[in-house]
Protein backbone atom coordinates (compact mmCIF):
# COMPACT_ATOMS: atom_id res chain seq x y z
CA UNK A 1 0.00 0.00 0.00
CA UNK A 2 1.40 3.38 -1.03
CA UNK A 3 1.44 5.87 1.84
CA UNK A 4 3.17 8.71 -0.04
CA UNK A 5 3.00 9.54 -3.75
CA UNK A 6 4.95 12.52 -5.10
CA UNK A 7 4.77 13.40 -8.79
CA UNK A 8 6.67 15.93 -10.94
CA UNK A 9 8.07 17.88 -7.99
CA UNK A 10 9.73 21.19 -8.82
CA UNK A 11 11.17 23.60 -6.28
CA UNK A 12 12.68 26.92 -7.29
CA UNK A 13 14.23 29.68 -5.22
CA UNK A 14 14.88 33.29 -6.23
CA UNK A 15 13.09 35.26 -8.95
CA UNK A 16 12.83 35.07 -12.74
CA UNK A 17 16.10 36.99 -13.14
CA UNK A 18 18.04 34.80 -10.71
CA UNK A 19 16.22 31.47 -10.42
CA UNK A 20 17.74 28.43 -8.74
CA UNK A 21 16.02 25.15 -9.58
CA UNK A 22 16.60 22.68 -6.73
CA UNK A 23 14.07 19.93 -7.52
CA UNK A 24 13.57 19.15 -11.21
CA UNK A 25 10.47 17.05 -11.86
CA UNK A 26 11.17 14.39 -9.23
CA UNK A 27 8.81 11.38 -8.80
CA UNK A 28 8.75 9.26 -5.63
CA UNK A 29 6.50 6.70 -3.94
CA UNK A 30 6.84 5.27 -0.42
CA UNK A 31 5.01 2.15 0.78
CA UNK A 32 3.50 1.82 4.24
CA UNK A 33 6.03 0.35 6.68
CA UNK A 34 9.12 1.28 4.65
CA UNK A 35 12.25 2.72 6.24
CA UNK A 36 13.75 4.88 3.48
CA UNK A 37 16.97 6.91 3.52
CA UNK A 38 17.63 9.82 1.18
CA UNK A 39 21.28 10.54 0.38
CA UNK A 40 23.14 12.95 -1.88
CA UNK A 41 25.96 15.46 -1.94
CA UNK A 42 25.56 18.91 -0.42
CA UNK A 43 23.32 20.94 -2.73
CA UNK A 44 21.77 17.85 -4.35
CA UNK A 45 18.27 18.71 -3.12
CA UNK A 46 17.86 16.00 -0.46
CA UNK A 47 16.97 18.37 2.40
CA UNK A 48 14.68 20.40 0.14
CA UNK A 49 12.94 17.15 -0.82
CA UNK A 50 12.41 16.23 2.84
CA UNK A 51 11.09 19.72 3.58
CA UNK A 52 8.48 19.68 0.80
CA UNK A 53 7.39 16.08 1.49
CA UNK A 54 6.93 16.93 5.18
CA UNK A 55 5.02 20.18 4.41
CA UNK A 56 7.70 22.34 6.08
CA UNK A 57 8.17 24.03 2.67
CA UNK A 58 5.92 24.32 -0.38
CA UNK A 59 6.69 22.96 -3.86
CA UNK A 60 6.80 25.34 -6.82
CA UNK A 61 4.94 22.75 -8.88
CA UNK A 62 3.86 19.13 -8.45
CA UNK A 63 1.66 16.79 -6.42
CA UNK A 64 2.24 15.25 -2.96
CA UNK A 65 -0.37 12.80 -1.65
CA UNK A 66 -0.07 11.34 1.85
CA UNK A 67 -2.62 8.62 2.61
CA UNK A 68 -4.65 9.92 -0.33
CA UNK A 69 -4.69 13.56 0.85
CA UNK A 70 -3.21 16.15 -1.53
CA UNK A 71 -1.16 18.32 0.84
CA UNK A 72 -0.06 20.86 -1.80
CA UNK A 73 -3.65 22.14 -2.04
CA UNK A 74 -4.15 22.57 1.71
CA UNK A 75 -4.40 25.97 3.39
CA UNK A 76 -2.10 26.64 6.37
CA UNK A 77 -4.76 25.79 8.97
CA UNK A 78 -5.59 22.48 7.21
CA UNK A 79 -1.89 21.66 7.01
CA UNK A 80 -1.39 22.33 10.71
CA UNK A 81 -4.22 19.91 11.55
CA UNK A 82 -2.85 17.34 9.11
CA UNK A 83 0.64 17.53 10.65
CA UNK A 84 -0.74 17.07 14.18
CA UNK A 85 -2.37 13.75 13.37
CA UNK A 86 -0.38 12.33 10.44
CA UNK A 87 3.26 13.45 10.71
CA UNK A 88 6.13 13.03 13.19
CA UNK A 89 9.50 14.80 13.11
CA UNK A 90 12.99 13.98 14.43
CA UNK A 91 15.45 16.86 14.03
CA UNK A 92 19.25 16.88 14.16
CA UNK A 93 19.29 19.39 17.04
CA UNK A 94 16.58 17.55 19.07
CA UNK A 95 14.18 20.57 19.31
CA UNK A 96 13.29 19.74 22.92
CA UNK A 97 11.85 22.34 25.29
CA UNK A 98 14.36 22.94 28.09
CA UNK A 99 11.66 23.90 30.61
CA UNK A 100 9.88 20.54 30.25
CA UNK A 101 10.95 17.13 31.54
CA UNK A 102 11.67 14.22 29.20
CA UNK A 103 8.17 12.88 29.87
CA UNK A 104 6.50 16.25 29.27
CA UNK A 105 8.41 16.72 25.99
CA UNK A 106 7.35 13.28 24.75
CA UNK A 107 3.70 13.84 25.71
CA UNK A 108 3.43 17.18 23.85
CA UNK A 109 1.77 15.76 20.68
CA UNK A 110 -0.87 14.01 22.79
CA UNK A 111 -1.50 17.19 24.79
CA UNK A 112 -2.24 19.02 21.53
CA UNK A 113 -4.65 16.31 20.36
CA UNK A 114 -6.33 16.15 23.79
CA UNK A 115 -5.76 12.40 24.24
CA UNK A 116 -7.26 10.93 27.42
CA UNK A 117 -4.79 10.90 30.33
CA UNK A 118 -4.91 7.14 30.89
CA UNK A 119 -4.21 6.37 27.20
CA UNK A 120 -1.46 9.01 27.09
CA UNK A 121 0.23 7.45 30.13
CA UNK A 122 0.09 3.99 28.58
CA UNK A 123 1.51 5.17 25.25
CA UNK A 124 4.25 7.10 27.04
CA UNK A 125 5.31 4.09 29.12
CA UNK A 126 5.44 1.82 26.06
CA UNK A 127 7.46 4.14 23.80
CA UNK A 128 9.81 5.33 26.58
CA UNK A 129 10.60 1.74 27.55
CA UNK A 130 11.11 0.70 23.91
CA UNK A 131 13.57 3.57 23.45
CA UNK A 132 15.32 2.98 26.78
CA UNK A 133 14.60 6.38 28.33
CA UNK A 134 11.88 5.54 30.86
CA UNK A 135 14.31 5.83 33.77
CA UNK A 136 15.18 9.46 32.85
CA UNK A 137 11.55 10.54 32.39
CA UNK A 138 11.67 13.14 35.19
CA UNK A 139 14.95 14.72 34.11
CA UNK A 140 15.28 17.88 32.03
CA UNK A 141 17.07 17.99 28.64
CA UNK A 142 20.17 19.63 30.17
CA UNK A 143 20.51 16.67 32.57
CA UNK A 144 20.69 13.90 29.93
CA UNK A 145 23.13 12.84 27.20
CA UNK A 146 22.88 13.67 23.49
CA UNK A 147 21.79 10.13 22.71
CA UNK A 148 19.05 10.28 25.33
CA UNK A 149 17.90 13.65 23.96
CA UNK A 150 17.60 12.23 20.46
CA UNK A 151 15.73 9.16 21.71
CA UNK A 152 13.39 11.56 23.54
CA UNK A 153 12.90 13.38 20.25
CA UNK A 154 12.18 10.03 18.55
CA UNK A 155 9.67 9.06 21.26
CA UNK A 156 7.87 12.38 20.75
CA UNK A 157 7.70 11.68 17.00
CA UNK A 158 6.27 8.17 17.48
CA UNK A 159 3.87 8.66 20.40
CA UNK A 160 0.84 9.86 18.44
CA UNK A 161 1.28 6.99 15.94
CA UNK A 162 1.62 9.17 12.83
CA UNK A 163 1.35 7.91 9.25
CA UNK A 164 4.86 9.14 8.43
CA UNK A 165 7.95 10.02 10.44
CA UNK A 166 10.51 12.39 8.92
CA UNK A 167 14.05 12.34 10.32
CA UNK A 168 16.51 15.05 9.27
CA UNK A 169 20.11 13.91 9.93
CA UNK A 170 19.02 12.39 13.28
CA UNK A 171 22.52 11.05 14.06
CA UNK A 172 24.39 14.20 12.98
CA UNK A 173 25.07 15.45 16.52
CA UNK A 174 25.71 12.02 18.09
CA UNK A 175 28.85 9.96 18.70
CA UNK A 176 29.04 6.59 16.95
CA UNK A 177 27.68 4.53 19.87
CA UNK A 178 24.72 6.85 20.52
CA UNK A 179 24.04 6.95 16.76
CA UNK A 180 24.09 3.16 16.51
CA UNK A 181 21.78 2.85 19.54
CA UNK A 182 19.28 5.30 18.01
CA UNK A 183 19.33 3.61 14.59
CA UNK A 184 18.81 0.17 16.14
CA UNK A 185 15.82 1.56 18.06
CA UNK A 186 14.37 3.22 14.93
CA UNK A 187 14.78 -0.02 13.00
CA UNK A 188 13.02 -1.98 15.78
CA UNK A 189 10.15 0.53 15.92
CA UNK A 190 9.85 0.41 12.12
CA UNK A 191 9.44 -3.37 12.26
CA UNK A 192 7.39 -3.69 15.46
CA UNK A 193 4.97 -0.82 14.81
CA UNK A 194 5.05 -0.96 10.99
CA UNK A 195 6.02 2.72 11.18
CA UNK A 196 6.99 4.47 7.94
CA UNK A 197 10.24 6.45 8.26
CA UNK A 198 11.87 8.80 5.72
CA UNK A 199 15.36 9.84 6.81
CA UNK A 200 17.81 12.27 5.22
CA UNK A 201 21.41 11.36 6.03
CA UNK A 202 24.93 11.83 4.69
CA UNK A 203 26.14 8.82 6.70
CA UNK A 204 26.28 5.43 4.90
CA UNK A 205 26.25 3.65 8.29
CA UNK A 206 22.92 5.31 9.15
CA UNK A 207 21.52 4.63 5.66
CA UNK A 208 22.40 0.94 5.92
CA UNK A 209 19.78 0.54 8.68
CA UNK A 210 16.98 1.32 6.21
CA UNK A 211 15.24 -0.96 3.69
CA UNK A 212 15.80 1.34 0.71
CA UNK A 213 18.26 4.13 -0.06
CA UNK A 214 17.41 6.81 -2.61
CA UNK A 215 20.31 8.82 -4.04
CA UNK A 216 19.57 12.36 -5.21
CA UNK A 217 21.72 14.21 -7.72
CA UNK A 218 20.99 17.63 -9.25
CA UNK A 219 17.39 17.64 -8.03
CA UNK A 220 16.44 14.25 -9.41
CA UNK A 221 16.65 10.61 -8.32
CA UNK A 222 19.99 9.28 -9.54
CA UNK A 223 19.58 5.67 -8.40
CA UNK A 224 18.09 3.51 -5.62
CA UNK A 225 19.26 0.51 -3.60
CA UNK A 226 16.96 -2.05 -2.02
CA UNK A 227 18.26 -4.05 0.93
CA UNK A 228 16.12 -7.11 0.25
CA UNK A 229 17.69 -10.17 1.87
CA UNK A 230 21.18 -8.65 2.05
CA UNK A 231 23.02 -8.58 5.37
CA UNK A 232 23.52 -5.25 7.10
CA UNK A 233 27.26 -5.33 6.28
CA UNK A 234 26.76 -6.12 2.57
CA UNK A 235 24.13 -3.38 2.23
CA UNK A 236 26.48 -0.91 3.94
CA UNK A 237 29.19 -1.73 1.36
CA UNK A 238 26.71 -1.23 -1.49
CA UNK A 239 25.70 2.16 -0.07
CA UNK A 240 29.37 3.15 0.30
CA UNK A 241 30.12 2.12 -3.26
CA UNK A 242 27.18 4.07 -4.71
CA UNK A 243 27.96 7.12 -2.58
CA UNK A 244 31.55 6.97 -3.82
CA UNK A 245 30.49 6.85 -7.46
CA UNK A 246 28.01 9.67 -6.89
CA UNK A 247 30.71 11.81 -5.32
CA UNK A 248 33.23 10.95 -8.01
CA UNK A 249 35.25 8.72 -5.68
CA UNK A 250 35.55 5.06 -6.62
CA UNK A 251 35.13 2.60 -3.74
CA UNK A 252 37.88 -0.03 -3.84
CA UNK A 253 37.04 -2.56 -1.10
Amino acid sequence: MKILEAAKLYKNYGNKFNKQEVLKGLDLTIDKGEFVSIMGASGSGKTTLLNVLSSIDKVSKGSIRIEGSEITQMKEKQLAEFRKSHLGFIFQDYNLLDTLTVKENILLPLTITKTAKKEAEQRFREIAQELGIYEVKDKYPNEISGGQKQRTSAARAFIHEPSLIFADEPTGALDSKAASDLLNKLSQLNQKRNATIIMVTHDPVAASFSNRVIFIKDGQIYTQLNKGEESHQTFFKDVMKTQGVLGGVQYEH
Side-chain angles (χ1 to χ4, degrees), residues 88-119:
F89 298 90
I90 306 172
F91 300 98
Q92 180 176 342
D93 56 0
Y94 321 128
N95 274 26
L96 300 176
L97 296 174
D98 292 335
T99 54
L100 300 182
T101 63
V102 164
K103 181 178 181 178
E104 289 165 344
N105 267 287
I106 293 169
L107 285 171
L108 266 179
L110 298 187
T111 309
I112 295 167
T113 55
K114 298 183 170 67
T115 303
K117 189 174 181 183
K118 189 176 179 183
E119 185 185 343

Side-chain angles (χ1 to χ4, degrees), residues 218-234:
D218 299 328
Q220 294 179 319
I221 291 178
Y222 172 75
T223 190
Q224 303 185 45
L225 294 176
N226 286 290
K227 188 174 191 177
E229 299 301 313
E230 282 188 346
S231 69
H232 191 155
Q233 193 60 33
T234 304

Side-chain angles (χ1 to χ4, degrees), residues 45-230:
K46 63 182 186 296
T47 301
T48 299
L49 177 60
L50 188 83
N51 288 344
V52 298
L53 293 178
S54 64
S55 78
I56 289 172
D57 201 357
K58 290 187 180 295
V59 288
S60 302
K61 195 165 64 174
S63 164
I64 301 170
R65 298 182 76 82
I66 296 175
E67 286 200 314
S69 297
E70 178 60 63
I71 68 168
T72 62
Q73 303 299 319
M74 290 181 185
K75 298 283 190 288
E76 202 50 55
K77 194 173 179 182
Q78 280 179 294
L79 260 182
E81 286 299 316
F82 186 82
R83 281 190 207 108
K84 274 197 294 191
S85 52
H86 290 276
L87 307 181
F89 298 90
I90 306 172
F91 300 98
Q92 180 176 342
D93 56 0
Y94 321 128
N95 274 26
L96 300 176
L97 296 174
D98 292 335
T99 54
L100 300 182
T101 63
V102 164
K103 181 178 181 178
E104 289 165 344
N105 267 287
I106 293 169
L107 285 171
L108 266 179
L110 298 187
T111 309
I112 295 167
T113 55
K114 298 183 170 67
T115 303
K117 189 174 181 183
K118 189 176 179 183
E119 185 185 343
E121 284 288 338
Q122 185 182 340
R123 285 207 210 171
F124 165 74
R125 180 182 289 273
E126 284 176 8
I127 194 71
Q129 286 177 340
E130 285 178 64
L131 282 160
I133 47 174
Y134 187 76
E135 71 282 358
V136 296
K137 67 183 189 298
D138 297 321
K139 294 193 173 183
Y140 289 88
N142 67 348
E143 298 174 318
I144 60 176
S145 70
Q148 289 169 325
K149 286 179 189 174
Q150 196 57 297
R151 280 180 276 146
T152 300
S153 177
R156 182 184 57 192
F158 276 92
I159 197 166
H160 61 301
E161 297 170 353
S163 311
L164 267 171
I165 289 166
F166 294 95
D168 186 8
E169 299 278 9
T171 60
L174 304 179
D175 62 43
S176 57
K177 184 185 182 306
S180 181
D181 286 348
L182 176 73
L183 291 161
N184 272 311
K185 296 291 186 188
L186 289 181
S187 185
Q188 287 163 19
L189 288 169
N190 162 249
Q191 291 163 30
K192 184 176 176 182
R193 294 175 174 242
N194 201 31
T196 311
I197 304 170
I198 303 175
M199 174 174 73
V200 161
T201 183
H202 67 278
D203 181 4
V205 174
S208 68
F209 279 82
S210 54
N211 317 119
R212 176 162 60 120
V213 182
I214 297 167
F215 293 88
I216 306 290
K217 185 178 182 182
D218 299 328
Q220 294 179 319
I221 291 178
Y222 172 75
T223 190
Q224 303 185 45
L225 294 176
N226 286 290
K227 188 174 191 177
E229 299 301 313
E230 282 188 346

